[in-house]
Amino acid sequence: MSLIVAGVGIAAGVRGNELRQEILQNSQQESALEQQLQDETDRTEEIQELEQYMQSDEYIEKIAREKLGLLKENEILFREE
Protein backbone atom coordinates (compact mmCIF):
# COMPACT_ATOMS: atom_id res chain seq x y z
CA MET A 1 0.00 0.00 0.00
CA SER A 2 2.81 2.42 0.83
CA LEU A 3 4.34 1.75 -2.61
CA ILE A 4 1.08 2.80 -4.25
CA VAL A 5 0.94 5.97 -2.16
CA ALA A 6 4.59 6.70 -2.95
CA GLY A 7 3.95 6.10 -6.68
CA VAL A 8 0.95 8.43 -6.65
CA GLY A 9 3.03 11.03 -4.76
CA ILE A 10 5.84 10.83 -7.31
CA ALA A 11 3.38 11.06 -10.20
CA ALA A 12 1.71 14.08 -8.59
CA GLY A 13 5.10 15.72 -8.06
CA VAL A 14 6.11 15.17 -11.69
CA ARG A 15 2.76 16.50 -12.93
CA GLY A 16 3.04 19.48 -10.57
CA ASN A 17 6.47 20.30 -12.01
CA GLU A 18 5.08 20.08 -15.55
CA LEU A 19 2.23 22.41 -14.59
CA ARG A 20 4.68 24.93 -13.07
CA GLN A 21 6.64 24.95 -16.33
CA GLU A 22 3.44 25.44 -18.29
CA ILE A 23 2.38 28.31 -16.00
CA LEU A 24 5.78 29.96 -16.47
CA GLN A 25 5.52 29.69 -20.26
CA ASN A 26 1.98 31.06 -20.22
CA SER A 27 3.08 33.94 -18.02
CA GLN A 28 5.89 34.82 -20.41
CA GLN A 29 3.52 34.62 -23.37
CA GLU A 30 1.02 36.83 -21.55
CA SER A 31 3.72 39.44 -20.89
CA ALA A 32 4.74 39.41 -24.55
CA LEU A 33 1.12 39.81 -25.66
CA GLU A 34 0.55 42.67 -23.21
CA GLN A 35 3.62 44.44 -24.61
CA GLN A 36 2.38 43.88 -28.15
CA LEU A 37 -1.03 45.27 -27.20
CA GLN A 38 0.60 48.36 -25.66
CA ASP A 39 2.73 48.87 -28.78
CA GLU A 40 -0.35 48.66 -31.00
CA THR A 41 -2.26 51.04 -28.73
CA ASP A 42 0.60 53.55 -28.94
CA ARG A 43 0.71 53.18 -32.73
CA THR A 44 -3.04 53.76 -32.95
CA GLU A 45 -2.67 56.97 -30.94
CA GLU A 46 0.16 58.14 -33.22
CA ILE A 47 -1.97 57.47 -36.29
CA GLN A 48 -4.90 59.38 -34.81
CA GLU A 49 -2.65 62.33 -33.95
CA LEU A 50 -1.21 62.31 -37.47
CA GLU A 51 -4.72 62.18 -38.93
CA GLN A 52 -5.72 65.23 -36.88
CA TYR A 53 -2.54 67.06 -37.91
CA MET A 54 -3.18 66.29 -41.57
CA GLN A 55 -6.59 67.95 -41.28
CA SER A 56 -5.16 71.11 -39.70
CA ASP A 57 -4.58 74.42 -41.48
CA GLU A 58 -0.91 74.20 -40.48
CA TYR A 59 -0.43 70.96 -42.43
CA ILE A 60 -2.38 72.21 -45.43
CA GLU A 61 -0.25 75.36 -45.53
CA LYS A 62 2.96 73.36 -45.22
CA ILE A 63 2.03 71.10 -48.12
CA ALA A 64 0.88 74.05 -50.22
CA ARG A 65 4.25 75.71 -49.69
CA GLU A 66 6.46 72.63 -50.12
CA LYS A 67 4.69 70.74 -52.87
CA LEU A 68 2.85 73.44 -54.76
CA GLY A 69 5.14 76.42 -54.18
CA LEU A 70 2.27 78.62 -53.04
CA LEU A 71 2.89 81.80 -51.09
CA LYS A 72 0.87 83.91 -48.74
CA GLU A 73 -0.31 87.33 -49.80
CA ASN A 74 2.49 89.91 -49.64
CA GLU A 75 5.24 87.25 -49.63
CA ILE A 76 8.11 87.28 -52.08
CA LEU A 77 9.97 84.16 -53.15
CA PHE A 78 13.72 84.39 -53.62
CA ARG A 79 15.46 81.59 -55.50
CA GLU A 80 19.12 80.76 -55.67
CA GLU A 81 20.40 79.65 -59.02
Side-chain angles (χ1 to χ4, degrees):
M1 187 60 139
S2 62
L3 287 176
I4 294 174
V5 170
V8 169
I10 290 172
V14 169
R15 182 64 181 143
N17 191 33
E18 290 172 355
L19 289 175
R20 276 191 287 282
Q21 290 292 340
E22 199 172 313
I23 288 170
L24 178 62
Q25 289 174 348
N26 288 341
S27 177
Q28 291 170 344
Q29 184 178 13
E30 180 183 14
S31 295
L33 289 172
E34 286 175 353
Q35 182 61 47
Q36 185 179 359
L37 178 61
Q38 183 62 47
D39 292 346
E40 292 301 321
T41 301
D42 293 345
R43 179 155 164 68
T44 299
E45 290 175 8
E46 288 175 13
I47 290 170
Q48 289 172 343
E49 289 172 5
L50 180 59
E51 182 180 21
Q52 287 177 347
Y53 172 67
M54 291 177 72
Q55 293 175 358
S56 71
D57 291 341
E58 179 185 350
Y59 177 76
I60 293 169
E61 182 180 325
K62 177 183 173 189
I63 294 302
R65 288 175 175 278
E66 290 178 1
K67 304 293 181 185
L68 303 175
L70 299 180
L71 303 174
K72 287 185 177 181
E73 212 173 291
N74 299 324
E75 283 187 330
I76 300 172
L77 176 64
F78 295 98
R79 294 184 187 201
E80 288 186 35
E81 292 187 33

